[in-house]
Amino acid sequence: MADILIGNGTVITLGKANQCIEKGAIVVRDRRIEAVGIESELRAQYPTARFADARGGLIMPGFLCTHTHFYGAFARGLAIPGEPPRNFPQILQQLWWRLDKALMPEDLAASAELFLVDAIRHGTTCVIDHHASPNAVAGSLDIIAGAVATSGLRACLAYEVSDRDGPAIIEAGIRENERFIRALRNEFSTLAQEGLLAASYGLHASFTLSPETLERCAAGGSELGVGFHIHVAEDVSDEEDSLAKYGKRVVERLLGEHILGPRSIAAHCVHVQSGEIAALASTQTNSVHNPRSNMNNAVGRAPVEEMLAAGVNMGLGNDGFSMNMMQEMKNAYLMHKLATGDPRSMSGELVLNMAFAYNARIVEAVFSPFATDFARVGELSAGAAADLVLLDYYPPTPLNSGNFPWHLIFGIDAQHVNSTMVAGRWLMRDRQMQEMDEERIHARARELAEGLWKRI
Ligand SMILES: [Zn+2]
């Protein structure tokens, strides 16, 4: 494949170099970035490269999402019957646990495709999913993996093991995670080695997992060499449950059950206290902040700055909201200021780092057990993955690497994304989907969602 030289734009590299290169360009060779620099110089060095025009806009790394639920796609516009839920346990019981129980195998592909298209449209190039479909467990991750493979995006999958539906479903969940992780080293090995597909061992949350189940999962995960992906202290009820049943807080319980570690993701951590933060830091466990979801469920606000200061790697996810990670960044920036009454809370740099550098660490942690020579994401630099987006953003005020976070928070949004590339392949070019049939996907999803809503 000929090299591609993407030029006529301003390159925002992020990463260690953190440069803003006007009249810049990047050269893509196969799945990686070969060079980043001044366009005239790169044109001289790579005279045979095919030119791709950024039309004077921005060339920047693709957005990353480290906690989502593809099946949430079908909740858009869904009215919950009965009284509106008053708290988080009621939201789970009245909405999510009814929705996921109604999912049939055909819904899984459709909801995954819907969110994958949504991701490409919004310039999100890598997603970490957390899946549940208690009445369609076996093979569910293969179905989603099939949609991921067609889309060309990078995704890490997991099945949420939970005790909430009885012993047969616990078994099925454990089997599904372990079978799929093995499949990444067999049937799916090409995608996995290329860093396009990965898996974590999924667990729902402490309050739906017995000590016996956790013990089995811990043994399975350690044998298979993967980390866990689990909701942690999303609501105060998770902490209350753990204290009442086990006399310890959630993170202490998970530490004792060998669930924490550098490849594990503790999503949310809204209600963790300082001892738990220290345990997350000392075990190098990752956490993921999901501001839109937390506000929507009224569960509270994770102590993000305290966790980062204590050395916890904390990324940014969307927990099933739209794949527009720019929205998630804007909400992260705003919610902490409102909550603390201090405009210095949650600086733009911090939000940018969570969305790119810290998210990239999580991506590397979960993909590297499967990928041979995993290419860095979240930055444009020689050797990094060719995962990038082009934006029709023509800054109305001076733009440089120092003030880029504030352009991203106050100026740039989804409408500016015109092209998305993953692993050197255009998935969207000039707003046209290259691989996925968006109209068919939307039509199919609407049809299936109607049936699903009736079953709920
Ligand atoms: Zn979640």
Side-chain angles (χ1 to χ4, degrees):
M1 218 166 52
D3 292 342
I4 305 171
L5 189 150
I6 307 171
N8 185 25
T10 298
V11 178
I12 304 289
T13 67
L14 303 184
K16 271 203 194 78
N18 194 26
Q19 285 179 299
C20 169
I21 312 171
E22 281 181 44
K23 295 192 169 54
I26 69 161
V27 176
V28 172
R29 177 171 292 173
D30 296 327
R31 292 193 289 272
R32 290 178 190 243
I33 293 169
E34 169 72 13
V36 180
I38 307 286
E39 181 175 337
S40 55
E41 291 171 10
L42 291 181
R43 275 183 184 261
Q45 277 175 46
Y46 298 90
T48 60
R50 266 187 301 134
F51 184 71
D53 192 349
R55 297 197 305 244
L58 302 185
I59 307 167
M60 66 171 287
F63 293 85
L64 313 168
C65 171
T66 48
H67 179 72
T68 196
H69 304 278
F70 288 151
Y71 64 81
F74 281 156
R76 292 176 180 184
L78 169 66
I80 315 176
E83 287 290 303
R86 274 175 300 146
N87 53 40
F88 185 64
Q90 287 186 6
I91 292 172
L92 290 178
Q93 269 148 22
Q94 293 182 36
L95 172 61
W96 296 110
W97 292 356
R98 285 164 81 165
L99 175 76
D100 69 14
K101 277 200 193 77
L103 290 167
M104 293 292 117
E106 61 270 26
D107 303 319
L108 307 183
S111 58
E113 284 174 347
L114 201 58
F115 261 11
L116 290 160
V117 164
D118 196 48
I120 295 168
R121 276 259 167 247
H122 291 119
T124 300
T125 51
C126 180
V127 290
I128 299 184
D129 188 55
H130 201 223
H131 174 68
S133 52
N135 290 318
V137 184
S140 57
L141 297 182
D142 282 8
I143 295 174
I144 298 170
V148 170
T150 311
S151 75
L153 241 73
R154 294 182 200 277
C156 172
L157 309 182
Y159 188 88
E160 298 176 29
V161 175
S162 166
D163 282 30
R164 71 177 148 105
D165 302 303
I169 311 292
I170 300 173
E171 276 312 307
I174 289 174
R175 262 203 311 276
E176 185 60 9
N177 276 305
E178 299 189 358
R179 185 196 62 74
F180 183 70
I181 293 162
R182 290 200 178 91
L184 288 177
R185 292 171 175 136
N186 294 297
E187 303 97 279
F188 290 116
S189 64
T190 309
L191 286 168
Q193 284 167 10
E194 288 177 0
L196 290 169
L197 195 60
S200 289
Y201 203 120
L203 299 169
H204 173 249
S206 168
F207 68 98
T208 70
L209 290 157
S210 67
E212 297 72 35
T213 305
L214 278 180
E215 197 179 319
R216 284 191 56 197
C217 295
S222 123
E223 192 196 317
L224 292 162
V226 296
F228 298 90
H229 186 174
I230 179 169
H231 293 120
V232 171
E234 177 173 359
D235 183 49
V236 72
S237 56
D238 194 19
E239 291 285 10
E240 287 165 355
D241 176 89
S242 180
L243 285 165
K245 286 184 192 151
Y246 313 106
K248 21 178 123 154
R249 299 188 65 85
V250 172
V251 174
E252 290 160 0
R253 178 178 182 226
L254 297 177
L255 178 68
E257 298 284 4
H258 311 288
I259 300 302
L260 305 183
R263 297 199 197 283
S264 287
I265 298 171
H268 298 293
C269 289
V270 172
H271 295 277
V272 293
Q273 290 184 347
S274 57
E276 296 176 282
I277 295 174
L280 292 168
S282 68
T283 53
Q284 297 175 276
T285 305
N286 303 283
S287 184
V288 180
H289 183 37
N290 302 273
R292 285 184 294 178
S293 163
N294 293 163
M295 288 192 282
N296 184 48
N297 291 330
V299 290
R301 177 183 72 94
V304 175
E305 288 181 277
E306 194 187 327
M307 291 172 73
L308 288 168
V312 179
N313 184 50
M314 191 145 200
L316 196 65
N318 64 28
D319 203 21
F321 268 69
S322 77
M323 286 290 165
N324 180 350
M325 291 307 291
M326 288 170 266
Q327 279 299 325
E328 214 61 60
M329 292 176 73
K330 292 170 210 287
N331 280 285
Y333 185 78
L334 298 173
M335 86 182 280
H336 297 268
K337 292 177 175 59
L338 177 68
T340 59
D342 183 346
R344 293 168 300 178
S345 299
M346 193 59 81
S347 73
E349 284 112 328
L350 215 53
V351 175
L352 185 79
N353 283 337
M354 286 203 298
F356 289 93
Y358 306 158
N359 261 352
R361 276 190 217 156
I362 300 177
V363 169
E364 180 154 8
V366 297
F367 279 78
S368 56
F370 303 98
T372 40
D373 191 21
F374 184 75
R376 290 186 306 284
V377 295
E379 63 181 72
L380 301 182
S381 61
D387 292 12
L388 55 93
V389 292
L390 306 184
L391 304 165
D392 295 325
Y393 180 66
Y394 308 103
T397 52
L399 165 72
N400 54 57
S401 55
N403 72 11
F404 178 65
W406 288 271
H407 277 277
L408 202 45
I409 288 162
F410 294 109
I412 302 172
D413 209 339
Q415 76 270 18
H416 297 114
V417 178
N418 70 60
S419 302
T420 304
M421 174 184 270
V422 176
R425 196 169 139 205
W426 292 114
L427 304 184
M428 181 172 77
R429 187 75 182 110
D430 293 328
R431 299 195 163 78
Q432 297 299 312
M433 287 288 158
Q434 303 293 298
E435 312 284 341
M436 299 190 89
D437 183 345
E438 197 173 15
E439 246 174 68
R440 180 196 63 79
I441 290 167
H442 283 182
R444 178 83 178 130
R446 262 196 307 277
E447 189 186 309
L448 287 170
E450 227 171 285
L452 177 80
W453 288 7
K454 280 192 191 125
R455 292 198 295 280
I456 295 169

